[in-house]
Amino acid sequence: MPEDINEILNRARGLQNNFYTAVKVSELLDDFNVSISKISKVIDTDPELTAKILRYCNSAQYGFARKVTNIKDAISIMGFKILKTIIFTIISRSSFSKPLQGYGLTECDLWKNSITCAVYARYIANLVNYDDPDQAYTAALLRDIGKIPLDELVKDNHRAIMELINRENLSFCDAEKRILKFNHSEISALLTEKWNFPQVLIDAIKYHHCPDKAEEDECEDIDLVRIVHLSDFLTVTVGQGIGIDGMMYYIEPDILDNLGLRPDKKNLDLIISKVADLNSEIYSLAG
Amino acid sequence: MQEIVLKSGELELTTRQNVIMYTTELGSSVAMAVYDRKSRMAGMAHIVLPDSSISNENDIIEEFGKFADTAVPAVLERLLSLGSKKEDLIIKIAGGANMYGIDENSYPFNIGQRNIMATQQAVGKLNLEIIDSDTGGNKGRALKLNVMQGMFYIKTANQSEVEF
Ligand SMILES: [Fe+2]
């Protein structure tokens, strides 16, 4: 039976610990007056994370001319924003690797799906000239994090959810909510709220399956919500890590128009073609 | 046994038997697998989009595996040119799922539906027939062809693979 919301969030305590340094650093990075040495001090307290960041910096993907050997250099070369996305990518990779039986996700599926959506979101953000593509990347990367603490419940109520979907022709999200009282996007949002994320990022996570509701609720940055929504659609269309919920989600009919993109079939196919081309980059990132 | 994984937009052909070919997950993408029951040659395509007219001329050489109208003839005509007889080709397709609430008339988001139709058309154009389809709906799946056995399988999330 559905549990108390706090019980669900308690299941995410391990996740909270994993993301502790990432959240700390991201708070610092949001403060414009912060110094490089202050940030590197926080990161240096986590040797595993430090090693991984340096590995990223020295990987072919970034390909800096000289070898980066410490966090201070890494930050000055990459800049704050990229560093933030790299840290969240690193932590997500290790936190999203467990199978989620309730959602039908095998080992690393959630990670592959999340990194795919993140890379697509950055692409779409650039395409529509959104001013903070890295924000879109992070929102998309973390949009389904709530599936982790919710997985047990989805597993226990699998039949009820599927029956409701078939009987009343609901989206997976609405069925989750009816049976469990919460859907995974709400849980994702509650988790990131605890991390003091900017409200616009929390909104993009919370409404990633229902931008129409974001509009009703007068969210501040509806464009970010829609970028993540479109990227989520593209991820199940041509991406990887698709679970039992598959494509049982709503797509806003006017999403292209609303993002200032030509809403015809040729343009959508072009966008799909372009994001599919990103898959090889994603495969190398996903490892 | 050699495993060949077809990612989006890729196609493969094999004249060897100790091969298993399978696609990565198909959302709206469509996989076409073909097996020649006489020569035991086989091929597969992981089609992403219906129509190559969106690709510009410079890209199309690299991209012909991506579109139904170019990928299907690339695989099937090649088999025919290698000596396959039309009546020996077993062709099956899978994938082409759509988002919740999207039906065949929901342009432009009926991408799964459009991929299925374009694949069927491209096969029909060569006077060939698709023997089995596991297409549509809202679920993701992957298609596998065991060339040694000449058997086709579908894998859906949370379920073990089933022959089809
Ligand atoms: Fe989601």
Side-chain angles (χ1 to χ4, degrees):
Chain A
M1 265 293 99
E3 299 166 56
D4 181 52
I5 184 75
N6 288 317
E7 269 177 62
I8 296 172
L9 291 176
N10 276 342
R11 287 168 187 239
R13 221 177 290 146
L15 264 184
Q16 307 272 22
N17 291 337
N18 294 352
F19 277 91
Y20 179 80
T21 312
V23 170
K24 268 243 115 41
V25 173
S26 121
E27 276 172 11
L28 283 174
L29 292 174
D30 288 337
D31 171 6
F32 290 107
N33 300 317
V34 74
S35 67
I36 290 182
S37 60
K38 195 165 174 195
I39 292 173
S40 66
K41 234 180 240 160
V42 175
I43 297 175
D44 281 336
T45 59
D46 188 334
E48 207 186 313
L49 181 63
T50 303
K52 283 179 180 166
I53 292 172
L54 294 177
R55 213 179 304 148
Y56 251 87
C57 294
N58 291 313
S59 71
Q61 208 206 329
Y62 291 95
F64 299 115
R66 63 193 171 90
K67 198 166 161 64
V68 184
T69 54
N70 63 66
I71 289 295
K72 263 191 189 166
D73 286 354
I75 300 173
S76 56
I77 292 172
M78 292 188 301
F80 286 3
K81 272 193 166 166
I82 303 263
L83 177 73
K84 190 164 146 182
T85 64
I86 287 182
I87 293 179
F88 276 106
T89 305
I90 289 170
I91 309 289
S92 302
R93 183 189 186 138
S94 54
S95 306
F96 294 178
S97 62
K98 282 201 206 85
L100 299 178
Q101 246 191 15
Y103 285 97
L105 297 170
T106 54
E107 210 176 306
C108 292
D109 270 354
L110 181 63
W111 155 244
K112 289 181 195 162
N113 183 283
S114 303
I115 186 70
T116 302
C117 194
V119 172
Y120 288 3
R122 188 161 53 199
Y123 174 82
I124 297 294
N126 284 315
L127 187 68
V128 301
N129 294 317
Y130 180 73
D131 59 5
D132 194 347
D134 293 317
Q135 183 97 289
Y137 177 97
T138 307
L141 183 72
L142 301 175
R143 80 204 192 287
D144 277 353
I145 192 172
K147 284 185 174 177
I148 296 172
L150 215 50
D151 185 56
E152 279 288 317
L153 278 175
V154 170
K155 191 176 145 195
D156 294 345
N157 295 279
H158 178 256
R159 270 210 25 212
I161 293 174
M162 286 307 181
E163 268 171 27
L164 186 64
I165 287 174
N166 290 329
R167 194 170 60 237
E168 296 189 25
N169 195 20
L170 297 179
S171 75
F172 194 88
C173 223
D174 290 343
E176 255 179 344
K177 174 125 181 139
R178 281 270 292 277
I179 303 277
L180 310 174
K181 308 272 187 290
F182 314 98
N183 60 42
H184 71 268
S185 4
E186 289 171 318
I187 302 292
S188 302
L190 284 169
L191 278 172
T192 48
E193 225 167 68
K194 287 195 165 191
W195 296 341
N196 295 320
F197 273 16
Q199 188 59 42
V200 290
L201 206 148
I202 297 169
D203 289 344
I205 290 171
K206 182 172 176 184
Y207 297 98
H208 74 269
H209 290 301
C210 50
D212 49 331
K213 285 194 191 119
E215 198 146 42
E216 267 170 42
D217 293 353
E218 294 175 4
C219 289
E220 189 188 320
D221 193 347
I222 204 95
D223 284 343
L224 184 62
V225 177
R226 290 203 163 103
I227 289 167
V228 178
H229 181 67
L230 181 61
S231 307
D232 190 281
F233 158 76
L234 293 166
T235 303
V236 286
T237 299
V238 289
Q240 42 176 358
I242 307 167
I244 53 150
D245 45 352
M247 299 181 86
M248 297 173 194
Y249 291 104
Y250 164 82
I251 173 82
E252 184 177 43
D254 299 327
I255 181 80
L256 297 175
D257 237 342
N258 287 335
L259 281 171
L261 297 164
R262 244 181 34 241
D264 56 83
K265 142 177 118 170
K266 186 173 176 186
N267 195 37
L268 178 66
D269 289 5
L270 262 175
I271 293 169
I272 292 173
S273 177
K274 292 287 180 222
V275 297
D277 289 343
L278 298 171
N279 285 355
S280 52
E281 176 197 335
I282 293 165
Y283 285 117
S284 73
L285 265 176
Chain B
M1 198 68 95
Q2 188 198 353
E3 293 198 353
I4 301 176
V5 186
L6 285 95
K7 301 195 282 273
S8 39
E10 293 182 340
L11 47 81
E12 274 308 328
L13 216 80
T14 180
T15 54
R16 288 177 302 113
Q17 266 89 66
N18 57 337
V19 170
I20 293 178
M21 307 172 112
Y22 58 93
T23 62
T24 53
E25 292 158 289
L26 309 160
S28 295
S29 298
V30 166
M32 179 193 70
V34 52
Y35 177 72
D36 182 329
R37 66 186 123 203
K38 287 265 168 60
S39 73
R40 299 170 81 185
M41 291 190 289
M44 201 181 250
H46 183 158
I47 297 156
V48 179
L49 288 161
D51 188 352
S52 64
S53 66
I54 63 157
S55 177
N56 66 45
E57 270 171 48
N58 300 327
D59 292 336
I60 189 65
I61 298 163
E62 282 172 38
E63 290 192 325
F64 67 92
K66 208 191 253 178
F67 306 101
D69 64 333
T70 46
V72 169
V75 173
L76 298 179
E77 282 178 345
R78 181 90 183 111
L79 281 175
L80 295 172
S81 76
L82 288 170
S84 285
K85 300 244 163 43
K86 282 189 176 173
E87 61 269 26
D88 296 328
L89 294 182
I90 303 170
I91 303 170
K92 302 195 181 191
I93 66 169
N98 287 299
M99 294 298 275
Y100 158 80
I102 295 292
D103 63 29
E104 55 264 49
N105 302 317
S106 316
Y107 285 96
F109 290 105
N110 58 347
I111 176 72
Q113 179 67 24
R114 290 192 283 122
N115 277 334
I116 297 165
M117 281 170 49
T119 304
Q120 288 167 340
Q121 254 170 35
V123 174
K125 231 176 160 176
L126 299 167
N127 292 316
L128 285 159
E129 221 178 299
I130 295 165
I131 289 173
D132 263 316
S133 304
D134 183 58
T135 52
N138 309 118
K139 65 176 185 204
R141 33 166 111 62
L143 176 62
K144 180 168 138 182
L145 170 58
N146 184 323
V147 182
M148 185 71 93
Q149 308 167 327
M151 303 247 272
F152 299 73
Y153 300 90
I154 296 279
K155 170 96 182 84
T156 323
N158 255 13
Q159 276 160 36
S160 44
E161 54 185 36
V162 288
E163 200 191 323
F164 119 106

